[in-house]
Amino acid sequence: MNYLDELNEIQRAAVENTDGPTLIIAGPGSGKTRVLTYRIAHLLKKDVDSFSILALTFTNKASEAMRLRIEKIAGTNARSLYMGTFHSVFARILRLEAPKIGYPSNFTIYDTEDSKSLMKTIVKEQGLDDKIYKPGIIYNRISSAKNSLITPQMYAEDSDLLTEDRNAKRPALGTIYRLYCERCFKSGAMDFDDLLLNTHIILEKFPEVLHKYQHKFRYVLIDEFQDTNYLQYSIVKRIADVFQNITVVGDDAQSIYAFRGATIDNILNFEKDFPELKVFKLEQNYRSTQTIVKAANELIHRNKNQLKKEIWTQNDKGEEIKIARTPSDNEEGRWVADSIMELKMRDHFKNSEFAILYRTNAQSRAFEEALRRHNIAYKIYGGMSFYQRKEVKDLLAYMKLAMNHQDEEAMKRVINYPARGIGQTTLDKITIIAANENKSAWDVIENINTYDFTARTKTAIEEFVMMIKSFAALAASKNAHELAAHIGKTTRLVAELYNDKTVEGVSKYENVQELLNSIKEFVEEDVVQDDEVIVADKSLGTFLQNVTLLTGDEKDTQNLETVKLMTVHSAKGLEFPVVYVVGMEENLFPGAQSLYSLEDLEEERRLFYVAITRAEKRLFLTYASTRYKFGQLNYCDPSRFLQEIPENIVAHHGDHRKAKAPEMAKGLYRTISPPPVSKPSAELPPRNIEPFIADDANGLQTGMEVVHEKFGDGKVVSIEGSGANKIASIFFGQFGIKKIMLKFAKLKILSGGM
């Protein structure tokens, strides 16, 4: 069969019209990769020299997969294509051209860690405070400058940049940038951003080189064009300027990487640079049900800045989109895990057919714990398990050492983090002394004055030992959360992460806060089970034991079918039969930082669009009424994006436990929506969900009518005990009598008592 016969009408037209500037707008699930692959193969079939084709992608995996598919159609000529990522292709060009700007052809390429290590050295040599001039902050600042075509000299002459640095109390950033570039140059090294910047510089400074590549690459093709930044587009636009056979494939509705420097303007304004542009819109979706496609269309049409298109599908109508509200983020995790179990049992879905998508990595904890309780194998995609993240393990190590001073691994992990002048050489010496004297490392540091260390080292170790002992002393009087929060503050670990404003630093800080939130929930969880009061141990030791059992060695699940957990950003380009998009709350999705700018809010909407279009058959959207943040219980409003989905394709679910008492749930789950950004259309009236706000239960009396967030409407039957040990027996409709200790009660009082 002819390879062109495998394409639909618009796909075939996009493949066969090979000359001139071309924009292929490819909606989700529309066969984008196939069209780009077949277009290159078609060029080769038309006897276009493979060496004259430049094809740029964003991942090595994508380029290799495309090359293999092209080879099946067009033969081994595909192996000679200039195809790869922007960085790999430009590095290939620079191996030939770098000597023109003084670099050797065999220049070294620094990865991110190499770059940060050099930056740390420069900061130290300059006598600067490494707590202010952190490698991550410096790296991001320099990377941003390079991708904006700002050289060290231009940086030093830019008053706006210098003012920004002074206001951030980092006035030496420009100097560090200059010294960093000088050191790289002396070492014959380029970092990732240099591969782009130096290519641009060479093409600009040496017209003969630009002429060479303009005539060499008669055809230029770019995948995921909406993800390109200013510098990337500037280079390819120059190269394609002579023949103008430039083809870009992408979807403005899936432009979600502004935080990495990508600019949606490249695709929105492409026609301004190439007026003779031909546009092909791939609008048929082969992935999702009609219901999911309709939801995606209604959602994205609300964005002002976009290239208009109407996605459609011939697939089945499919099931309604399920929107589920749960009382808390922990309950959200349980609801999702229960739902997965139900679909596995009832409809025979496999683990690998499920994906849980969240806005931030810190949200994974509740879902990991719930999946483990059901013994459902899972994998964190594009990340690691919550409890395996360095910052989480660091704080847990402090807690473990406070509870057990002899925990040598915990001690080694935190004795010099945050930095307190106890280096690896000192730690090695402590380990040798402990081994020679048959003692534990703690025994050595507890008696550090009896050993040969410098006075400064002894002082630092003594202060560390006293701090850990103080934590142990407080364990008797503080609950797990109080002690954990005290440890995080006293060690300066939380402050260290808070002060790091890089994307990675903010994520790490959020993860530590999520750990503290989980401890807070552990402490305040209702002590009710099987109609009996459980006087639970809320100590830090108990929490650590629970975590250890939860995250201890498990059987190897690498080869098993696994549920995938990932951020929405990580999910781009993937698809799954069943998708759960979780945490659909205001200030989370969309994020709080996006609510003050139309551009940022539209990017958040595009991100949600990407999330829902990952689903093939079933789509679940969940949110919690309450969520712990920074140790405080917050009442959450549902995301504004939920009310942008047509009501006639949605089914609402409350807490899954309420299924036994629908009448009761109906009264409890009224909806409230946050103020919309723009006036909702007539067919989408705002949904109102009232937040559950608990009353002070200390004044509770027999006969009072109440509402409990989990059990619904109830009536107080009796009250026993006194003071902090008061216990109320409450009759909850179909749940029967529950005994609740008032100091843990979460009740709304509806009417007076006897």
Side-chain angles (χ1 to χ4, degrees), residues 152-188:
Q153 182 179 347
M154 294 164 65
Y155 194 104
E157 296 169 355
D158 191 313
S159 59
D160 290 338
L161 291 174
L162 298 179
T163 300
E164 285 177 20
D165 290 344
R166 281 195 298 271
N167 291 340
K169 302 191 186 308
R170 299 187 187 94
L173 270 173
T175 301
I176 295 172
Y177 183 16
R178 175 178 58 78
L179 293 171
Y180 171 75
C181 290
E182 289 174 359
R183 294 282 279 275
C184 285
F185 185 77
K186 286 178 182 176
S187 301

Side-chain angles (χ1 to χ4, degrees), residues 47-90:
D47 293 328
V48 172
D49 188 346
S50 59
F51 289 98
S52 69
I53 299 173
L54 172 62
L56 298 166
T57 65
F58 274 86
T59 67
N60 289 313
K61 182 179 178 182
S63 63
E64 285 309 308
M66 286 172 58
R67 192 188 299 274
L68 288 173
R69 291 173 71 173
I70 294 167
E71 193 172 333
K72 286 182 179 178
I73 298 171
T76 56
N77 274 348
R79 298 175 189 176
S80 303
L81 291 166
Y82 258 76
M83 173 181 279
T85 65
F86 282 88
H87 292 95
S88 66
V89 168
F90 294 161

Side-chain angles (χ1 to χ4, degrees), residues 415-666:
I415 192 169
N416 198 41
Y417 181 75
R420 50 176 61 89
I422 305 172
Q424 188 61 44
T425 302
T426 300
L427 195 54
D428 291 343
K429 189 173 178 180
I430 290 169
T431 304
I432 292 169
I433 292 171
N436 290 341
E437 298 187 6
N438 198 25
K439 293 180 178 179
S440 69
W442 177 266
D443 291 336
V444 175
I445 66 172
E446 196 176 25
N447 299 282
I448 198 66
N449 276 321
T450 63
Y451 298 101
D452 181 25
F453 289 88
T454 66
R456 183 178 176 182
T457 299
K458 286 181 179 179
T459 299
I461 291 176
E462 281 180 327
E463 289 175 354
F464 176 77
V465 169
M466 287 174 62
M467 180 177 67
I468 299 300
K469 285 184 175 180
S470 74
F471 297 158
L474 290 171
S477 59
K478 291 185 179 289
N479 65 35
H481 179 259
E482 291 168 341
L483 183 54
H486 176 76
I487 290 172
K489 180 180 179 180
T490 306
T491 60
R492 306 192 330 277
L493 188 149
V494 173
E496 178 95 350
L497 296 174
Y498 177 78
N499 291 330
D500 184 355
K501 299 303 183 183
T502 64
V503 174
E504 297 86 352
V506 171
S507 177
K508 289 177 180 180
Y509 177 72
E510 289 176 346
N511 288 335
V512 166
Q513 289 299 330
E514 181 61 15
L515 174 62
L516 293 173
N517 292 342
S518 72
I519 301 173
K520 180 91 167 179
E521 289 172 348
F522 163 77
V523 169
E524 296 190 351
E525 193 171 12
D526 286 339
V527 283
V528 179
Q529 186 173 331
D530 299 329
D531 300 347
E532 297 296 331
V533 176
I534 300 173
V535 183
D537 180 359
K538 299 296 183 179
S539 69
L540 186 58
T542 301
F543 174 81
L544 290 171
Q545 176 180 297
N546 291 349
V547 169
T548 302
L549 291 174
L550 187 67
T551 62
D553 292 334
E554 314 230 345
K555 65 180 181 179
D556 180 18
T557 59
Q558 193 164 3
N559 297 320
L560 298 177
E561 293 280 336
T562 57
V563 174
K564 303 298 187 296
L565 282 72
M566 67 189 82
T567 64
V568 183
H569 283 103
S570 297
K572 188 167 176 292
L574 303 176
E575 55 189 49
F576 302 91
V578 185
V579 169
Y580 295 82
V581 187
V582 301
M584 291 304 304
E585 298 142 32
E586 285 291 289
N587 299 318
L588 182 55
F589 202 175
Q593 73 283 354
S594 69
L595 302 182
Y596 305 102
S597 155
L598 175 65
E599 289 77 13
D600 290 344
L601 185 60
E602 290 200 345
E603 172 139 345
E604 289 286 296
R605 186 177 284 110
R606 293 195 296 270
L607 190 60
F608 183 44
Y609 177 82
V610 167
I612 64 179
T613 54
R614 301 309 95 198
E616 297 173 355
K617 298 177 181 177
R618 310 279 180 89
L619 176 62
F620 296 82
L621 310 174
T622 71
Y623 65 98
S625 295
T626 62
R627 186 178 295 273
Y628 275 97
K629 192 171 184 181
F630 308 126
Q632 297 294 318
L633 184 66
N634 288 268
Y635 291 90
C636 308
D637 289 333
S639 169
R640 68 190 66 200
F641 296 152
L642 294 179
Q643 64 182 355
E644 296 176 0
I645 297 176
E647 188 69 42
N648 62 354
I649 59 173
V650 165
H652 291 274
H653 290 247
D655 180 359
H656 59 300
R657 296 182 185 180
K658 300 296 181 294
K660 300 178 182 175
E663 269 52 351
M664 175 184 66
K666 212 180 289 179

